[in-house]
Amino acid sequence: MNTSASQSIYNLLINGRIINKHRYDGGILVDDEHYSELFSNEFQYESLYEAIGFELIHTGSAYYLGSLTDKKYRETAALRIQGVLLAIARFSPECGTMIEGILDYRAGIPRRAIENIAEMEDVKDMLKACGITEPLTEAVDSQLEKRGVAYWNQGAGLVLTDGGMCIFDSMFKVSPPVVTEKTQNPNSL
């Protein structure tokens, strides 16, 4: 375990950031050194954070901290992140933007589309219900960008990080159909 990397990782995680497998640098995705450090020493980091009341959660492409103590869900960063993502996903088609753009580091959701979504009354109500008092444009920066959930690419498009994609996938994933003998062979009916 690298001591200076450990201190840097602690400062990121304790402040609610996600450490992603990749980071956006100069128009390309590169391996993140903090992720590599955590991955190489995962057991030691899990033990360390557990000893101070946190759970180090690994999604396969990102790390973040969860609290081992009970909290009201409304007061958590997770709810605020999900609220912002839900607002963007729900209202981006009304602005003529395909939500799939948020998953492609070369595309993203244009900043102008985020600004248009922010003006919709339903969005303001949705954010308020999640405990967010700031406008969507500011919430994108404070809840997504500063936490390592998303970033602005060189074309001013909002793109999800590895961890952001995991959150997005868990929110909007459609379960695959259940395969049974009857669905595999419809002639067996």
Side-chain angles (χ1 to χ4, degrees), residues 57-95:
I57 300 167
H58 184 212
T59 66
S61 58
Y63 287 95
Y64 62 95
L65 286 183
S67 175
L68 294 176
T69 61
D70 290 333
K71 264 187 159 181
K72 290 182 181 175
Y73 188 70
R74 190 173 196 289
E75 298 172 3
T76 65
L79 176 64
R80 293 188 299 274
I81 290 167
Q82 290 173 345
V84 173
L85 287 176
L86 180 61
I88 293 168
R90 164 66 183 86
F91 295 102
S92 63
E94 293 183 27
C95 293

Side-chain angles (χ1 to χ4, degrees), residues 156-177:
L158 184 69
V159 180
L160 294 178
T161 62
D162 296 320
M165 285 186 209
C166 289
I167 295 167
F168 186 87
D169 187 49
S170 70
M171 289 175 65
F172 299 108
K173 185 186 222 179
V174 177
S175 298

Side-chain angles (χ1 to χ4, degrees), residues 137-154:
T137 51
E138 292 175 27
V140 164
D141 292 334
S142 67
Q143 302 303 320
L144 302 184
E145 186 180 21
K146 289 188 174 140
R147 293 186 184 279
V149 176
Y151 59 89
W152 294 102
N153 67 15
Q154 289 180 325

Side-chain angles (χ1 to χ4, degrees), residues 19-133:
I19 296 179
N20 296 286
K21 186 174 187 176
H22 302 102
R23 62 182 167 79
Y24 189 73
D25 187 15
I28 60 171
L29 294 174
V30 297
D31 291 340
D32 186 275
E33 57 278 350
H34 292 117
Y35 178 91
S36 298
E37 170 67 16
L38 282 167
F39 187 79
S40 297
N41 302 291
E42 189 168 1
F43 179 74
Q44 291 95 328
Y45 280 103
E46 284 175 346
S47 299
L48 173 68
Y49 287 109
E50 186 176 349
I52 58 173
F54 293 97
E55 176 185 12
L56 181 64
I57 300 167
H58 184 212
T59 66
S61 58
Y63 287 95
Y64 62 95
L65 286 183
S67 175
L68 294 176
T69 61
D70 290 333
K71 264 187 159 181
K72 290 182 181 175
Y73 188 70
R74 190 173 196 289
E75 298 172 3
T76 65
L79 176 64
R80 293 188 299 274
I81 290 167
Q82 290 173 345
V84 173
L85 287 176
L86 180 61
I88 293 168
R90 164 66 183 86
F91 295 102
S92 63
E94 293 183 27
C95 293
T97 304
M98 291 178 44
I99 189 60
E100 291 81 4
I102 203 166
L103 304 173
D104 185 346
Y105 78 96
R106 297 161 296 192
I109 301 287
R111 188 178 295 271
R112 185 70 194 136
I114 301 291
E115 292 167 355
N116 290 339
I117 293 168
E119 297 303 316
M120 298 177 182
E121 197 59 39
D122 289 345
V123 171
K124 295 171 186 171
D125 293 340
M126 184 183 293
L127 295 178
K128 186 176 179 183
C130 295
I132 300 171
T133 57

